[in-house]
């Protein structure tokens, strides 16, 4: 008995030592499989990929995805798999294919290309979908199940059935059941079973579902002879298309509000300065540009803190643009009071100077501003309707700026003075208000808000010297349409023009849409030269 116990203790000790050594040194089977993958022929790679999937599971996803893209190489010097991607004309960026770690010592002459053919691509796609469906997070499982709807076959159906047994997330389960219903509609012989499958598919909006149902309509390519099934399929197609049109309308409406928020940020500062001072500031677009470049500079100075740099860029862009605006007002515009044509020409010249200055300092090439992770991606409502996070952020950001501006104009002494000067400058001056100081502060406020708008624009497009010119015409249209100096008019003008543009451009094109809007503004000011909400006051005329 004691001898048996000692043998059992020795066995357990050896087993514990082997487990400990494997935990410390890593799984040697995966390393050997990766070595074999580099030297195997195309047919042998299929078996090796299956073993890697079984041994590594989710950890193999980066390797499989890199191999599917054709960027996988084996580094003979280090003995590990690397991902090589072109970074410019002659430079290559190397990272570890499994961990994503940046590599500096990879020599291109010492790496072996891991070749793939169509069979391997098919197996890799299946392996990626299988691993993501069984071991991925919720979003990965959802997308993996949705990707299988494009090709419902025996292998994918078996995988969906296996996944359904362990899946707990309702949204993923619905997509899995959709794939199984597509399979039943295709292969089932019982009429009721097929009708039940159509009833389930009718609730979905995925494009593969619609394509499959269209095949079973009376005019479909499947040649369906059962009139009940064909009629149910036709009715399901009609219901899906009706709901899809509704959601596409909602998506266009939301995109229009998003574009309207951008136009509001670009135009509100111009509306304030034009309403108070009567100055046609052609350099207003360059205030947007300065705000965007401020965001770029701060992000370059804080490369490891992208999320925090954006919040720092907002007050910095306001200060930079406001300072430049006050400088322009004090050095140029105040000497041209009552001379609108000279002011227009002077500010146009200033806009050219600012553009050339930026070209000299930053080069004429566009610069890319990286969006923080929490602004990337989108919120999917359903397969037809999704909202991008950056546009949602800009929409709510514009509402916050509107609330702050209303507070300044309604609740502060600066706002009281601004309203007094805009309504009757001479009377305000007679009452002791320093109108020149109000002009400078108003111009700085309008320019600063434009700088903040540049921060928002940097999250939607590349930053370049001509950024402001793309929005200056739209800004003037918003101001003219809504009414100069009226905050409510700017809001209504920006959101109405932005929404109308999103509905008109898809059918007419961007160029014809711009021409139509310009013609509309020309006709509109013939009947309402002061805009929708004109300024009120004795001096408003």
């Amino acid at each position: 008995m004691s001898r048996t116990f000692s043998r059992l203790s020795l066995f357990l000790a050896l087993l514990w030592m082997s487990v400990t050594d494997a935990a410390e040194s890593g799984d040697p089977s995966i390393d050997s499989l990766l070595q074999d993958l580099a030297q195997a022929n195309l047919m042998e790679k299929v078996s090796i990929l299956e073993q890697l999937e079984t041994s590594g599971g989710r950890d193999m996803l980066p390797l499989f995805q890199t191999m599917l893209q054709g960027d996988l190489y084996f580094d003979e010097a280090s003995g590990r798999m690397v991902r090589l991607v072109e970074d410019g004309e002659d430079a290559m960026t190397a990272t570890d294919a499994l961990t994503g770690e940046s590599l500096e010592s990879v020599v291109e002459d010492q790496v072996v290309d891991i070749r793939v053919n169509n069979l391997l691509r098919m197996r890799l796609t299946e392996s990626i979908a299988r691993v993501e469906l069984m071991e991925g997070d919720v979003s990965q499982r959802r997308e993996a199940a949705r990707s299988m709807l494009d090709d419902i076959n025996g292998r994918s159906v078996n995988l969906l059935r296996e996944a359904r047994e362990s899946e707990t997330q309702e949204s993923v389960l619905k997509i899995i059941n959709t794939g199984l219903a597509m399979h039943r509609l295709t292969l089932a012989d019982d009429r009721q079973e097929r009708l039940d499958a159509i009833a389930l598919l009718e609730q979905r909006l995925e494009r593969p579902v619609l394509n499959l149902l269209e095949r079973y309509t009376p005019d479909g390519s499947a040649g369906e002879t059962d009139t009940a099934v064909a009629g149910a399929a036709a009715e399901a197609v009609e219901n899906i298309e009706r709901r899809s049109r509704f959601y596409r309308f909602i998506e266009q409406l939301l995109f229009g509000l998003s574009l309207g928020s951008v136009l509001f940020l670009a135009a509100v500062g111009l509306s304030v300065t034009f309403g108070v001072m009567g100055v046609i500031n052609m350099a207003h677009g360059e205030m947007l540009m300065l705000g965007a470049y401020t965001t770029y500079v701060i992000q370059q100075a804080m490369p490891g803190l992208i999320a925090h740099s954006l919040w720092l860029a907002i007050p910095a862009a306001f200060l930079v643009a406001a300072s430049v605006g006050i400088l322009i007002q004090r050095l140029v515009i105040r000497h041209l009071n009552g001379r609108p044509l000279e002011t227009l020409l002077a500010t146009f010249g200033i806009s050219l100077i600012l553009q050339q200055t930026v070209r000299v300092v930053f080069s004429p090439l566009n610069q890319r501003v990286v969006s923080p992770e929490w602004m990337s991606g989108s919120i999917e409502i359903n397969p037809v309707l999704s909202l991008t996070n950056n546009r949602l952020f800009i929409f709510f950001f514009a509402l916050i700026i509107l609330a702050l501006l209303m507070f300044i104009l309604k609740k502060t002494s600066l706002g009281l003075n601004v309203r007094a000067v805009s309504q009757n400058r001479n009377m305000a001056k007679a009452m002791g208000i320093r109108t020149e100081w109000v002009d400078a502060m108003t111009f700085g406020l309008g320019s600063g808000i434009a700088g903040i708008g540049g921060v928002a624009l940097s999250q939607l497009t590349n930053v370049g010297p001509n950024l402001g010119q793309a929005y200056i015409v739209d800004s003037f249209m918003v101001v003219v349409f809504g009414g100069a100096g009226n905050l409510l008019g700017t809001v209504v003008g920006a959101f109405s023009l932005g929404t109308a543009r999103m509905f008109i451009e898809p059918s007419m094109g961007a160029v014809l849409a711009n021409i139509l809007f310009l013609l509309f503004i020309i006709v509109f000011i013939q009947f309402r030269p002061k805009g929708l909400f004109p300024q009120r006051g004795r001096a408003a005329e």
Side-chain angles (χ1 to χ4, degrees):
M1 183 68 180
S2 60
R3 182 179 297 177
T4 303
F5 179 79
S6 62
R7 288 178 178 177
L8 180 60
S9 301
L10 178 61
F11 173 77
L12 292 175
L14 291 174
L15 180 62
W16 172 255
M17 291 174 63
S18 63
V19 171
T20 305
D21 291 340
E24 292 176 352
S25 61
D27 190 350
S29 64
I30 292 180
D31 293 336
S32 62
L33 287 172
L34 293 177
Q35 296 275 351
D36 295 339
L37 184 64
Q39 303 172 357
N41 59 42
L42 291 173
M43 294 305 299
E44 293 171 341
K45 288 177 181 177
V46 174
S47 175
I48 295 174
L49 288 175
E50 292 176 353
Q51 297 178 60
L52 285 172
E53 179 185 340
T54 303
S55 302
R58 187 175 178 179
D59 294 336
M60 293 296 107
L61 277 179
L63 178 77
F64 290 167
Q65 291 166 344
T66 302
M67 188 173 177
L68 182 62
Q69 295 166 358
D71 299 329
L72 185 64
Y73 295 81
F74 179 72
D75 184 15
E76 295 178 337
S78 62
R80 57 182 174 181
M81 292 291 177
V82 298
R83 179 175 183 263
L84 287 181
V85 180
E86 290 187 6
D87 185 16
E89 295 182 357
D90 301 321
M92 300 287 290
T93 300
T95 55
D96 189 292
L98 286 172
T99 65
E101 175 189 357
S102 297
L103 303 176
E104 301 292 341
S105 58
V106 175
V107 180
E108 291 187 41
D109 296 337
Q110 296 181 356
V111 295
V112 179
D113 184 12
I114 308 299
R115 296 174 52 230
V116 295
N117 60 2
N118 290 334
L119 175 62
L120 281 174
R121 291 188 184 94
M122 182 181 68
R123 293 299 177 88
L124 283 168
T125 302
E126 292 177 354
S127 295
I128 291 171
R130 185 161 44 244
V131 172
E132 288 183 340
L133 186 60
M134 303 303 296
E135 303 182 32
D137 56 29
V138 174
S139 61
Q140 287 178 328
R141 299 200 305 272
R142 187 186 301 115
E143 290 305 316
R146 184 170 290 157
S147 67
M148 292 184 178
L149 301 183
D150 294 324
D151 184 21
I152 294 294
N153 51 47
R155 184 177 299 178
S156 61
V157 167
N158 291 333
L159 182 57
L160 289 173
R161 286 172 178 164
E162 181 183 353
R164 185 171 62 176
E165 298 299 324
S166 58
E167 185 57 59
T168 58
Q169 187 70 26
E170 185 66 23
S171 62
V172 183
L173 275 173
K174 287 182 178 180
I175 301 176
I176 292 175
N177 290 330
T178 299
L180 297 177
M182 293 172 68
H183 182 255
R184 291 197 303 273
L185 174 61
T186 305
L187 297 180
D189 295 325
D190 181 68
R191 171 190 288 180
Q192 188 59 46
E193 188 175 357
R194 300 177 73 195
L195 290 175
D196 291 341
I198 291 175
L200 191 150
L201 295 176
E202 187 177 356
Q203 308 303 316
R204 307 300 300 176
L205 294 172
E206 286 84 1
R207 187 66 203 184
V209 173
L210 181 61
N211 293 338
L212 179 65
L213 289 172
E214 287 177 341
R215 291 174 52 197
Y216 289 90
T217 58
D219 299 327
S221 59
E224 181 59 47
T225 57
D226 192 323
T227 56
V229 173
E235 185 178 354
V237 167
E238 183 181 352
N239 290 335
I240 292 175
E241 289 180 339
R242 183 176 63 251
R243 287 159 50 220
S244 297
R245 287 193 298 269
F246 171 75
Y247 284 120
R248 281 194 290 268
F249 171 81
I250 296 297
E251 186 177 52
Q252 280 187 300
L253 180 63
L254 293 175
F255 278 175
L257 294 176
S258 173
L259 177 59
S261 63
V262 173
L263 293 178
F264 169 76
L265 291 172
V268 64
L270 183 64
S271 176
V272 172
T273 55
F274 186 67
V276 175
M277 305 169 60
V279 173
I280 303 175
N281 181 18
M282 295 300 295
H284 183 77
E286 277 55 54
M287 302 300 109
L288 292 165
M289 177 193 69
L290 290 177
Y293 270 103
T294 302
T295 309
Y296 169 75
V297 170
I298 290 179
Q299 192 171 96
Q300 294 300 306
M302 305 170 61
L305 300 171
I306 300 299
H308 301 286
S309 65
L310 184 65
W311 297 113
L312 182 60
I314 293 174
F318 179 86
L319 292 176
V320 169
S323 300
V324 174
I326 292 174
L327 193 64
I328 293 173
Q329 197 279 332
R330 298 303 294 170
L331 295 180
V332 179
I333 293 177
R334 75 186 182 99
H335 300 294
L336 300 174
N337 284 336
R339 297 152 66 185
L341 181 59
E342 287 85 345
T343 304
L344 185 149
L345 294 174
T347 53
F348 179 71
I350 292 171
S351 72
L352 297 179
I353 293 173
L354 291 174
Q355 289 180 44
Q356 290 304 118
T357 302
V358 166
R359 288 189 176 93
V360 171
V361 175
F362 296 100
S363 88
L365 301 177
N366 289 339
Q367 307 295 337
R368 180 171 175 265
V369 174
V370 180
S371 296
E373 185 176 351
W374 50 270
M375 281 187 66
S376 304
S378 60
I379 300 175
E380 182 181 296
I381 309 301
N382 55 52
V384 179
L385 175 61
S386 61
L387 306 174
T388 55
N389 291 337
N390 57 352
R391 291 189 176 274
L392 277 176
F393 168 80
I394 292 174
F395 175 73
F396 288 110
F397 182 65
L399 295 182
I400 293 173
I401 296 300
L402 172 62
L404 289 176
L405 188 57
M406 290 182 64
F407 175 80
I408 291 173
L409 294 178
K410 300 291 185 181
K411 301 296 183 180
T412 66
S413 59
L414 174 61
L416 179 63
N417 292 336
V418 166
R419 285 183 287 130
V421 173
S422 64
Q423 292 177 11
N424 195 321
R425 173 178 292 271
N426 292 330
M427 181 62 71
K429 192 171 185 178
M431 296 294 294
I433 296 176
R434 297 169 55 193
T435 55
E436 289 191 358
W437 178 85
V438 172
D439 288 343
M441 292 299 102
T442 302
F443 209 88
L445 178 64
S447 300
I449 294 173
I452 294 177
V455 178
L457 288 177
S458 69
Q459 305 303 306
L460 298 177
T461 184
N462 289 329
V463 177
N466 297 322
L467 174 66
Q469 294 301 306
Y471 290 92
I472 186 65
V473 175
D474 290 335
S475 298
F476 275 111
M477 284 199 297
V478 169
V479 172
V480 171
F481 180 64
N486 190 295
L487 201 56
L488 176 61
T490 305
V491 173
V492 173
F495 283 99
S496 58
L497 290 178
T499 304
R501 174 162 294 182
M502 285 305 301
F503 281 98
I504 292 176
E505 278 190 2
S507 58
M508 299 185 60
V511 175
L512 288 178
N514 283 331
I515 294 174
L516 181 64
F517 276 107
L518 288 172
L519 290 175
F520 167 74
I521 293 297
I522 292 173
V523 173
F524 175 78
I525 60 177
Q526 301 300 316
F527 299 94
R528 296 292 296 269
K530 299 178 184 179
L532 289 175
F533 303 93
Q535 279 276 39
R536 298 181 181 275
R538 293 183 179 180
E541 297 295 331

